[in-house]
Amino acid sequence: MGMKAGFMEYDRYNVEEVSEKDRVKNFSEFHKKMPKDKVKEQAARCMDCGVPFCQSGMMIRGMTSGCPLHNLIPEINELVYRGNLKEAYNRLSITHSFPEFTCKVCPALCEAACTCSVYNESITVKDNERTVIEYAFDNNLVTEEKPEVRTDKKVAVIGSGPAGLTAAKLLNKRGHNVTVYERSDRAGGLLRYGIPNMKLDKSVIDRRINLMEQAGITFKYNANVGENVSAKELQNEYDAVVLACGASNPRDINVAGRDAKGIYFAVDFLGKVTKTLLDSDFKDVPYDMAKDKNVVVIGGGDTGNDCVGTAIRLGAKSVTQVEMMPKPSEQRLESNPWPEWPKVLKTDYGQKEAIYKFGQDPRVYNTTVKEFIKDKNGNLTGVELVSLQWKKDKKTGRMTMEEVEGSNRKIDADLVLIAAGFLGSQKYVCDAFNVELDARTNVATECDKHLSSVENVYVAGDMRKGQSLVVWAIAEGTAVAGEVDKALMGYTNLVEE
C-alpha cells in the first residue's frame, strides 16, 4: 500500500448530507460527494489486510459478510490513493456492472466486514466507489460497446431490475441478441419505482439505459409477460429466457378492518409518487396522497424508512413506524462478533427527518397491528396496536411472540402503508412459464444453479433467492449470464468457472 499506516493517521470522514430542514422540501438526492481533498486520505486508510473480508461475500450464520460481487476493494483503494481513478474504474469494472447504483443504495456489506472496523471506523468503501464511478462518467470512460461480432443466439430477459439489467448487459457484451421485457413504462424495476428519488436519482438509471440501448440491447416497455405478452411465444422465439421479475408479491396484514379505504402496499405508494414526479418532470408533487394525514407505516426495514421520508415530503401531519422486532442494541453484542453483519440500531434518513419534523423517533418496537379502524363510510380513521413480548417455547426452544395483555391502544391514522416485505414471485408469471416453485414460492433451481424446471428458462435475483439487496441481484445477474452463455456456446468467459 502507498500508506501503510493511513488508518492510524486519518480518521474516517463521513460525507455530509443536506440538512433535514432543507432536504424535506424536495425529492432531490441529499448525499453530497466526497470533497476532493478527502478522497486520497480516505483511500489511504485501507489497511491492505492479509485476508480482505470486505470482498469475501461469504455467509456467516445466515448473514452476508463482505461484498457478494467480490470487488477488489484493497486494490481499488490503492489506485484511488495514488490518484489513478481511471485504472481504479477499470479494476472495479472487472467485477461490477453498475457501481452507480450500489454506491447510493447498498447498505455497504463491505464496510461492515472491514478489518479496520474491529477497533476503529471502517474504510469509506461506498463513498470511494462513488468517487470512482462518477469520475468515470464525467470523463467518458463508461461505455457499453456494441459487439463487433454477433452470435446467432437470441435471449429474452423478463424484468429490468438490477438482476435483469446485469444479465442483459453481459449477454449483449458476449454478442448475443438481447431483448428486455419490462411491464412498467420505464426500466429499472424496484430501482425505479421502489426506491425514492432522493435516495437514487432516476437520471442515474436513464444514463445507463441509454448506453445499453446504444450497445444494441432492445427494451420493450408495458410488456407484461403472462398477460399481454405470451410466454409460449417467447420460448419459441428465443434460445433462452431469463426470468428476473423480482419477489414482488407483498406480504399483507390480514386483521379486522383490512378493507378500509386508505391502506396501501408500500411499493404501490412509492411507485405512484415516483411516477407522478417523473411524468411531470418533478413539477407535480402528489401532496394529496399524504398531506395533513396521520400516517402509519408497518415495517421497520429500508422500504418502511423510505415511506417515512416520502410521507414527510408530502406534508404528513404525523408518522408512526410500527416494528414487530425489539429495538436493536446500539453496540455489537458478544453474540454478534465481527465479521458478522452488525445487528445494531440504525437510524436512517427517514427516521432522522421524522425526528427533525416531529421531535421524536417514529419507530415503535415490539408492536403489531390488532385492527384497522374505519368509519361508517369505510374510511380509515385509526389503528389499534398491541405490544408483543418474546418468549422461548419450552418444547422447541424457539423464540415466539405473544401479545402483552392489556397493552392495546388506538392511534389516529388516515393512511397506512404496509412495508412488511415480500413473500416471493408473483403467481401469474410463474404459471405462464409453468416453472416449479420452492416452499417460499420462489422459482426452484438446483443449489447454486439458475436453470428452472423448464428447458432454456433461467431465473435470477429475488425471483430465485427471495427478497434481498441490489448488490445480490447484480451478483445473481452476473451468475445467470455466465450460465446461459455456457449453455448457448459450450463455454463462457463471462464468469470464472
Side-chain angles (χ1 to χ4, degrees):
M1 293 295 291
M3 194 166 196
K4 295 182 179 179
F7 64 94
M8 299 176 66
E9 182 166 337
Y10 299 115
D11 292 329
R12 177 184 169 105
Y13 176 84
N14 293 308
V15 173
E16 294 181 3
E17 299 176 349
V18 176
S19 69
E20 288 88 349
K21 177 182 178 181
D22 292 328
R23 73 189 192 217
V24 298
K25 298 175 183 177
N26 55 60
F27 284 84
S28 301
E29 279 194 17
F30 57 86
H31 288 105
K32 298 181 180 180
K33 295 181 180 180
M34 178 82 74
K36 290 184 178 180
D37 63 334
K38 295 292 183 182
V39 170
K40 181 176 179 179
E41 69 178 41
Q42 289 305 298
R45 294 186 70 241
C46 185
M47 301 171 70
D48 192 24
C49 40
V51 181
F53 287 90
C54 58
Q55 64 187 47
S56 64
M58 58 184 174
M59 300 299 293
I60 303 178
R61 295 208 298 178
M63 298 176 289
T64 307
S65 177
C67 180
L69 296 172
H70 311 299
N71 291 332
L72 305 171
I73 293 169
E75 297 179 31
I76 295 167
N77 284 332
E78 165 75 358
L79 291 164
V80 173
Y81 168 73
R82 295 189 179 281
N84 193 344
L85 295 180
K86 179 180 179 180
E87 186 57 36
Y89 166 69
N90 291 336
R91 193 61 52 94
L92 179 59
S93 299
I94 294 173
T95 54
H96 203 336
S97 292
F98 304 118
E100 66 269 32
F101 301 155
T102 54
C103 73
K104 296 174 183 289
V105 304
C106 187
L109 305 174
C110 49
E111 293 187 16
C114 175
T115 305
C116 195
S117 69
V118 180
Y119 298 109
N120 202 331
E121 290 189 279
S122 66
I123 310 306
T124 56
V125 181
K126 188 173 172 180
D127 285 320
N128 293 357
E129 182 178 288
R130 181 178 179 182
T131 296
V132 171
I133 188 60
E134 290 303 328
Y135 172 87
F137 271 108
D138 290 344
N139 289 274
N140 298 316
L141 300 178
V142 183
T143 59
E144 296 284 351
E145 295 183 10
K146 200 167 189 175
E148 293 183 6
V149 178
R150 287 282 184 186
T151 70
D152 60 352
K153 306 298 182 182
K154 298 174 63 179
V155 181
V157 176
I158 317 303
S160 65
L165 290 179
T166 304
K169 169 189 168 78
L170 295 176
L171 289 167
N172 179 72
K173 179 181 177 181
R174 183 72 160 90
H176 303 309
N177 299 283
V178 180
T179 301
V180 179
Y181 291 81
E182 170 54 53
R183 65 181 178 180
S184 296
D185 60 339
R186 297 174 173 90
L190 287 183
L191 288 172
R192 173 78 63 177
Y193 288 127
I195 298 175
N197 196 78
M198 60 272 194
K199 195 170 177 180
L200 175 63
D201 191 292
K202 306 314 167 190
S203 64
V204 173
I205 304 173
D206 295 333
R207 179 176 63 180
R208 178 65 75 164
I209 298 301
N210 289 337
L211 290 175
M212 294 175 72
E213 288 177 331
Q214 292 170 22
I217 299 174
T218 300
F219 287 84
K220 294 190 176 183
Y221 300 114
N222 299 307
N224 196 349
V225 178
E227 291 194 355
N228 63 1
V229 176
S230 168
K232 190 67 176 177
E233 290 180 6
L234 293 183
Q235 288 173 273
N236 291 334
E237 181 180 353
Y238 292 90
D239 298 288
V241 174
V242 177
L243 302 179
C245 309
S248 47
N249 184 25
R251 180 181 283 109
D252 207 346
I253 306 295
N254 293 311
V255 297
R258 175 61 181 86
D259 60 341
K261 301 171 186 176
I263 303 174
Y264 304 92
F265 289 115
V267 70
D268 295 335
F269 171 79
L270 294 172
K272 185 176 180 180
V273 173
T274 298
K275 180 167 171 51
T276 301
L277 293 170
L278 294 178
D279 286 349
S280 66
D281 195 23
F282 291 85
K283 295 181 177 63
D284 181 12
V285 179
Y287 291 111
D288 60 299
M289 295 178 67
K291 188 171 179 58
D292 298 327
K293 294 182 180 181
N294 295 299
V295 180
V296 175
V297 179
I298 303 174
D302 288 341
T303 302
N305 171 70
D306 290 337
C307 286
V308 172
T310 300
I312 289 172
R313 283 164 175 75
L314 295 180
K317 181 179 180 180
S318 69
V319 180
T320 302
Q321 188 175 8
V322 178
E323 170 61 81
M324 294 176 63
M325 301 299 291
K327 183 177 181 179
S329 167
E330 294 188 7
Q331 302 293 331
R332 273 189 188 268
L333 300 177
E334 290 185 2
S335 58
N336 176 217
W338 177 87
E340 289 181 4
W341 172 257
K343 294 183 286 187
V344 297
L345 180 67
K346 175 186 177 184
T347 302
D348 212 330
Y349 76 94
Q351 286 109 23
K352 291 178 182 177
E353 291 164 2
I355 293 169
Y356 157 74
K357 191 75 174 178
F358 305 116
Q360 62 183 20
D361 195 311
R363 291 171 288 188
V364 181
Y365 297 96
N366 282 328
T367 301
T368 192
V369 175
K370 187 75 171 177
E371 180 181 354
F372 297 113
I373 304 166
K374 55 186 178 180
D375 62 19
K376 62 181 181 180
N377 296 318
N379 297 309
L380 180 73
T381 61
V383 175
E384 182 180 346
L385 303 177
V386 63
S387 297
L388 301 170
Q389 58 185 348
W390 290 81
K391 290 186 176 181
K392 182 178 288 188
D393 187 285
K394 294 181 180 179
K395 293 183 179 179
T396 64
R398 294 180 179 177
M399 299 298 292
T400 59
M401 292 183 295
E402 294 182 1
E403 294 183 6
V404 177
E405 188 176 349
S407 65
N408 298 49
R409 69 270 192 196
K410 297 178 181 179
I411 64 172
D412 293 336
D414 308 295
L415 173 64
V416 165
L417 303 174
I418 301 175
F422 297 88
L423 294 173
S425 52
Q426 291 188 300
K427 188 174 184 298
Y428 79 93
V429 181
C430 299
D431 287 347
F433 287 95
N434 198 30
V435 292
E436 292 182 6
L437 306 180
D438 62 19
R440 298 186 299 161
T441 72
N442 300 318
V443 177
T445 65
E446 293 184 18
C447 182
D448 295 328
K449 299 293 183 181
H450 294 78
L451 179 64
S452 75
S453 58
V454 177
E455 184 180 10
N456 298 328
V457 176
Y458 298 79
V459 61
D462 291 0
M463 201 170 184
R464 188 184 82 92
K465 285 177 62 69
Q467 183 185 6
S468 190
L469 303 171
V470 170
V471 67
W472 264 116
I474 295 172
E476 282 277 297
T478 302
V480 76
E483 196 169 323
V484 170
D485 185 40
K486 184 175 181 180
L488 294 178
M489 305 299 290
Y491 73 99
T492 184
N493 56 12
L494 292 179
V495 294
E496 292 184 9
E497 297 189 77

